């Protein structure tokens, strides 16, 4: 975008092809002057043909058109044009029957190289019907129709059945809008652009040919449909205004091959871009201009971007409150973001005038509504927060334990991190049975510590049937080893102990 | 009040509680908040609550109030926030959430334009303009350049540029700009005539004989037409008229063919420059 300042463009008058379309023959012969051989090297002939667009144009060879196809805009002042990727295209064929193309050597300017292409623009009332026809309809157009009488070139694969699109333009319209023969050279040129600044698909070398129309589209208030056509003038030279055989009979039509069609709608407007820009002045900030009779307080609020809004309070009362959106006319100091319990916490009350500032409360509320509308976000947020909270709760408990029971935690930190859940119980049991127990009853071999045979710091022992894991491993082993009625025995064991 | 954990003990606990345990913020959350940063989805009435702020054919500059954004984001986070724990959690994460998602907001437009992501963080200040004009409707390819300063050519990154209505466009930049340039799209360069006070004219350009090629002059020619409807140009008469003006100005170099005609008839991309009054 900024690069455009340095982008360069060159214009050339024309670019004529090195070879005209048609069939060619290369003959290669060699004469050997050596007395001893007496042999001749045989001649070799190679046929080739040069074929350019004639009855139709591959859309891929069109770079762009203006006005852009199927758009509407203020096109009433523009001369429609088409940009072709083939730099020689407008000069490949000849408008006069039976003549060959004028070749221009490098650096020689010549005004009389007449391009065979023209851009014609029609509004919807005069637009001729575009018909599907064949090369034969160009060769033999029939009564009351004049054409270029082009004979298909069978050497390059053309035949009388080669399809083409055509228009028949009544002679009065044709004479009125067709550029003069000596005007046509002004309407085609070659443009070269610096490819460094363009996206490139390799289909051009930076040279384009352009054909410009000589007629403004018809514009109206609601937009007027116009069509521009790229037409072939091959063979029609004498009938073009300025030629020797102009068609004066009003009932005769001129048939032309259509190579490209683009439609658009032209809106009439007395403004152009520059004027519209000028109309934007003065460019100001986003706020309401305070009326001349506004009080100082009102003016200050409006200048800061506030708007007075009707505000229905929760108790049904109606008041006016100040509101300001996220787009403000001046720079504001940014505070650290905070989490609020509800939007009401963000109401700002001005005791001097009894008015609320509801800006941030409104922001909070709309943020909440937007989030509620987006299910994926809502679920992801909920799960993430819950996960974090669970983890935090665990960490909190750990921190409490670290302070309250430093010995326990220090002893078994690794294990704690593994088991997580039934932490307190596990820890206490372990501590009572081992560390503390050993200190109180040094030498006790059963490792039951302070709590007797079966430690029960959480008072779960009465519910032994629900928590069979509370029994010591040895007790369990004994029961299992006894064989039958295992559950019964566990319960019994637990009760016995209580 | 007696609590199990004394005040002193609470203080001892503090350093370890909280966000070291937090899992990384899921992408889906930061991506959505990144869009919120650029006010996607916020109804237009929240942005421009009163039509007097944005009359027909006007351009209005603004700063984005980051406090408003903070509350908008907090509102979004508030769903499912039930307990004090939830509130504390959000209090703890809102800052980093805003930072991470703000960085992602830098790439939303890049992704729309199929450009690769940038690692460049935001400046922390967002500015922009709202344009309400026929320009928005008639020039869909409008190009916007916001220059950081009048002297230099470095540009503020466009974070969001979007048509909100037929004739309203919102544009948000990263950072502050001093000068804004609106220009016709370069691809819309075309050939045409000027229409002024009911007359078709063409302002001429220098052809590089005396002044640099393409310099726009204040000299214009009347456009000669063939028809009464003023639609079909009389190219020959037009060429003669242009030639004679060029000769008068000493700009005629002896040749006037299709390239010279093209240079004269081009409607170059127009542009307008505005000072940012909100800075």
């Amino acid at each position: 975008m900024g690069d455009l300042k340095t982008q360069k463009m060159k214009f050339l008058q024309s670019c004529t092809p090195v070879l005209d379309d048609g069939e060619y023959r290369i003959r290669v012969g060699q004469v050997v002057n050596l007395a001893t051989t007496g042999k001749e090297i045989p001649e070799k002939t190679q046929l080739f043909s040069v074929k350019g667009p004639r009855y139709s144009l591959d859309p891929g060879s069109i770079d762009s058109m203006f006005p852009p196809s199927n758009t509407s805009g203020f096109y009433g002042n523009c001369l429609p044009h088409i940009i072709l990727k083939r730099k020689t295209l407008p000069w490949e064929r000849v408008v006069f029957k039976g003549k060959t193309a004028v070749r221009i050597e490098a650096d020689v300017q010549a005004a009389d190289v007449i391009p065979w292409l023209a851009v014609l623009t029609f509004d919807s009332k005069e637009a001729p019907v575009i018909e599907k026809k064949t090369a034969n309809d160009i060769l033999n157009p029939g009564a009351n129709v004049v054409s270029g009488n082009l004979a298909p070139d069978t050497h390059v694969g053309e035949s009388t059945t080669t399809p083409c699109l055509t228009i028949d333009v009544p002679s009065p319209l044709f004479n009125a809008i067709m550029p003069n023969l000596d005007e046509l050279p002004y309407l085609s040129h070659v443009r070269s652009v610096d490819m460094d600044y363009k996206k490139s698909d390799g289909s051009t070398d930076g040279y384009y040919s352009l054909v410009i129309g000589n007629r403004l589209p018809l514009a109206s208030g609601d937009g007027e449909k116009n069509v521009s056509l790229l037409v072939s003038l091959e063979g029609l030279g004498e009938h073009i205004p300025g030629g020797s055989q102009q068609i004066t009979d009003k009932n005769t039509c001129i048939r032309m091959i259509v190579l490209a069609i683009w439609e658009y709608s032209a809106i009439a407007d007395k403004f152009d871009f520059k004027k519209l820009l000028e109309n934007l002045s003065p460019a100001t900030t986003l706020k309401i201009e305070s009326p001349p009779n506004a009080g100082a307080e009102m003016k200050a609020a409006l200048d800061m971007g506030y708007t007075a809004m009707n505000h229905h309070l929760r108790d049904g009362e109606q008041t006016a409150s100040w509101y300001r959106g996220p787009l403000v006319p001046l720079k504001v100091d940014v505070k650290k973001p905070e989490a609020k319990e509800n939007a009401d916490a963000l109401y700002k009350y001005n005791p001097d005038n009894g008015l609320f500032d509801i800006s941030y409360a409104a922001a909070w509320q709309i943020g909440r509504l937007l989030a509620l509308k987006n299910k994926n976000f809502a679920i992801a947020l909920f799960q993430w927060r819950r996960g974090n909270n669970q983890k935090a709760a665990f960490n909190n408990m750990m921190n409490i334990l670290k302070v309250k029971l430093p010995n326990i935690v220090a002893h078994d930190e690794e294990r704690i991190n593994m088991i997580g859940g039934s932490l307190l119980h596990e820890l206490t049991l372990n501590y009572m049975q081992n560390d503390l127990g050993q200190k109180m009853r040094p030498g006790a071999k059963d490792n039951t510590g302070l709590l007797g045979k079966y430690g029960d710091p959480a008072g779960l022992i009465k519910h032994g049937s629900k928590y069979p894991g509370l029994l010591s491993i040895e007790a369990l082993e004994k029961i299992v080893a006894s064989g039958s009625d295992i559950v019964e025995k566990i319960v019994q064991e637990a009760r016995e102990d209580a | 009040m007696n609590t199990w954990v004394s005040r002193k003990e609470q203080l001892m606990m503090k350093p370890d509680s909280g966000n070291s345990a937090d899992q990384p913020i899921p992408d889906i959350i930061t991506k959505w908040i990144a869009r919120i940063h650029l006010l996607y989805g916020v109804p237009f009435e929240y942005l421009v609550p009163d039509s007097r702020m944005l009359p027909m054919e006007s351009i209005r500059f603004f700063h984005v109030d980051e406090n408003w954004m903070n509350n908008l984001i907090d509102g979004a986070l508030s769903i499912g926030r039930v307990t004090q724990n939830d509130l504390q959690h959000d209090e703890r994460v809102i800052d980093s959430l805003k930072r991470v998602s703000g960085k992602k907001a830098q790439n939303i437009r890049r992704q729309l334009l199929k450009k690769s992501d940038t690692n460049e963080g935001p400046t922390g200040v967002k500015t922009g303009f709202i344009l309400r004009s026929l320009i928005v409707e008639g020039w869909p390819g409008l190009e916007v350049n916001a220059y950081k300063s009048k002297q230099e050519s470095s540009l503020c990154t466009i974070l969001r540029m979007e048509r909100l209505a037929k004739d309203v466009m919102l544009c948000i930049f990263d950072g502050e700009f001093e000068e804004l340039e609106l220009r016709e799209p370069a691809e819309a360069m075309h050939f045409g005539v000027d229409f002024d006070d009911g007359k078709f004219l063409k302002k001429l350009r220098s052809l590089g004989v005396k002044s640099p090629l393409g310099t726009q002059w204040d000299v214009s020619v009347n456009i000669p037409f063939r028809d009464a409807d003023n639609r079909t140009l009389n190219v020959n008469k037009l060429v003669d008229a242009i030639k004679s003006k060029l000769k008068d100005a000493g700009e005629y170099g002896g040749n006037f063919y299709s390239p010279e005609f093209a240079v004269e008839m081009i409607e170059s991309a127009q542009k307008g420059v505005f000072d940012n009054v909100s800075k």
Side-chain angles (χ1 to χ4, degrees), chain B residues 30-211:
Chain B
T30 47
K31 268 193 180 151
W32 189 79
I33 296 183
R35 292 178 62 80
I36 289 280
H37 269 273
L38 303 183
L39 297 164
Y40 279 100
V42 177
F44 186 68
E45 306 81 70
Y46 280 72
L47 309 181
V48 183
D50 192 307
S51 60
R52 283 173 293 172
M53 292 175 137
L54 191 66
M56 299 282 285
E57 296 304 319
S58 66
I59 185 165
R60 295 289 178 261
F61 298 105
F62 60 77
H63 269 84
V64 174
D65 177 358
E66 291 297 326
N67 298 320
W68 208 95
M69 302 310 294
N70 289 344
N71 288 309
L72 179 72
I73 292 169
D74 181 42
L77 289 183
S78 74
I79 55 168
R81 184 192 286 167
V82 185
T83 64
Q84 278 298 313
N85 263 348
D86 294 339
L87 188 67
Q88 279 163 12
H89 170 267
D90 292 355
E91 185 82 42
R92 190 171 72 230
V93 298
I94 188 166
D95 217 15
S96 66
L97 243 177
K98 199 191 172 202
R99 216 177 36 248
V100 176
S101 53
K103 218 176 157 192
K104 288 203 173 151
Q106 297 283 101
N107 285 319
I108 291 179
R109 183 174 156 85
R110 295 182 72 87
Q111 281 155 11
L112 287 175
L113 300 176
K114 311 243 181 300
K115 285 188 187 171
S116 57
D117 285 0
T118 173
N119 267 327
E120 224 169 282
T123 57
V125 177
K126 293 201 285 281
T127 61
F129 68 88
I130 297 188
L131 174 64
R132 182 179 181 194
S133 166
L134 287 170
I135 291 175
V136 178
E137 195 183 341
W139 282 264
L142 183 74
E143 286 177 11
V144 167
N145 292 324
Y147 294 96
K148 285 178 189 162
S149 87
K150 288 186 184 182
Q151 286 77 37
E152 293 163 57
S153 62
S154 63
L155 297 169
C156 286
T157 310
I158 302 174
L159 297 179
R160 179 179 175 193
M161 184 166 140
E162 198 169 303
R163 230 169 88 158
L164 300 180
K166 207 171 79 168
D167 60 346
V168 177
M169 191 175 82
L170 170 71
C171 197
I172 301 176
F173 300 98
D174 182 37
E176 284 180 275
F177 59 95
E178 261 183 12
E179 206 174 61
L180 179 74
E181 184 183 272
L182 301 182
R183 58 191 299 163
E184 279 186 292
E187 64 264 26
M189 194 188 86
H190 63 274
F191 304 91
V193 299
D194 309 327
F195 188 74
D196 208 1
D197 283 338
K199 276 191 297 186
F200 286 99
L201 307 164
K202 190 71 199 178
K203 265 194 183 174
L204 298 184
R205 285 188 189 81
S206 115
L207 290 178
V209 178
K210 274 168 77 182
S211 14

Side-chain angles (χ1 to χ4, degrees), chain A residues 64-319:
Chain A
S64 63
M65 301 95 152
F66 192 93
S69 198
N70 296 320
T71 59
S72 64
F74 306 135
Y75 299 138
N77 296 355
C78 84
L79 296 170
H81 74 255
I82 186 166
I83 305 183
L84 305 161
K85 288 181 186 167
R86 195 165 157 135
K87 62 188 168 195
T88 56
L89 192 57
W91 300 277
E92 283 176 14
R93 298 189 165 272
V94 193
V95 290
F96 296 108
K97 282 178 193 142
K99 297 229 174 124
T100 48
V102 178
R103 193 95 49 237
I104 304 181
E105 302 303 328
D107 298 331
V108 176
Q109 302 268 19
D112 54 3
V113 188
I114 300 172
W116 64 289
L117 298 175
V119 169
L120 300 183
T121 298
F122 301 94
D123 63 55
S124 54
K125 282 184 228 59
E126 59 196 18
V129 182
I130 297 164
E131 291 173 279
K132 277 188 189 162
K133 288 208 160 22
T134 60
N136 190 46
D137 299 310
I138 306 294
L139 181 60
N140 305 303
N144 288 333
V145 178
V146 170
S147 75
N149 302 111
L150 309 177
D153 185 350
T154 50
H155 296 298
V156 295
E158 293 166 2
S159 73
T160 50
T161 58
T162 300
C164 58
L165 295 173
T166 64
I167 48 169
D168 288 353
V169 180
S171 65
L173 181 60
F174 180 85
N175 290 335
I177 68 168
M178 177 58 69
N180 278 9
L181 275 174
D182 54 356
E183 290 179 338
L184 284 168
Y186 288 111
L187 298 172
S188 290
H189 68 268
V190 172
R191 174 192 289 181
S192 89
V193 294
D194 207 336
M195 291 306 283
D196 288 353
Y197 297 100
K198 291 222 169 262
K199 63 177 196 308
S200 178
D201 53 7
S203 61
T204 83
D205 49 4
Y207 284 85
Y208 298 86
S209 55
L210 279 88
V211 185
I212 310 172
N214 64 331
R215 194 170 192 228
L216 307 175
L218 182 66
S220 74
D222 316 325
E224 187 73 32
K225 268 240 173 294
N226 285 268
V227 60
S228 288
L229 306 172
L230 180 70
V231 296
S232 158
L233 305 177
E234 186 183 3
L236 283 167
E238 299 299 350
H239 307 307
I240 294 170
S244 57
Q245 293 169 36
Q246 275 200 63
I247 311 295
T248 49
D249 176 25
K250 284 196 169 77
N251 296 321
T252 301
C253 285
I254 290 87
R255 178 166 298 165
M256 286 171 280
I257 298 171
V258 177
L259 298 170
I261 306 161
W262 66 105
E263 287 183 315
Y264 46 89
S265 164
I267 303 167
D269 203 287
K270 51 186 182 294
F271 297 116
D272 63 9
F273 189 76
K274 196 88 190 160
K275 290 227 182 69
L276 284 167
L277 282 180
E278 283 163 11
N279 275 351
L280 296 177
S281 295
T284 60
T285 51
L286 192 67
K287 63 178 185 193
I288 299 175
E289 291 304 323
S290 34
N293 57 349
E297 196 185 333
M298 173 86 156
K299 191 179 178 317
L302 292 181
D303 283 350
M304 284 191 291
Y306 282 96
T307 316
M309 306 283 276
N310 284 329
H311 184 191
H312 300 271
L313 296 176
R314 218 177 285 278
D315 56 9
E317 204 187 321
Q318 200 175 349
T319 179

Side-chain angles (χ1 to χ4, degrees), chain B residues 204 221 238-246 256 261 264-265:
Chain B
L204 298 184
V221 294
L238 176 59
V239 167
D240 287 344
I242 296 173
K243 271 194 207 168
S244 104
K245 292 274 185 193
L246 288 173
F256 195 92
F261 183 72
E264 295 299 354
M265 295 312 287

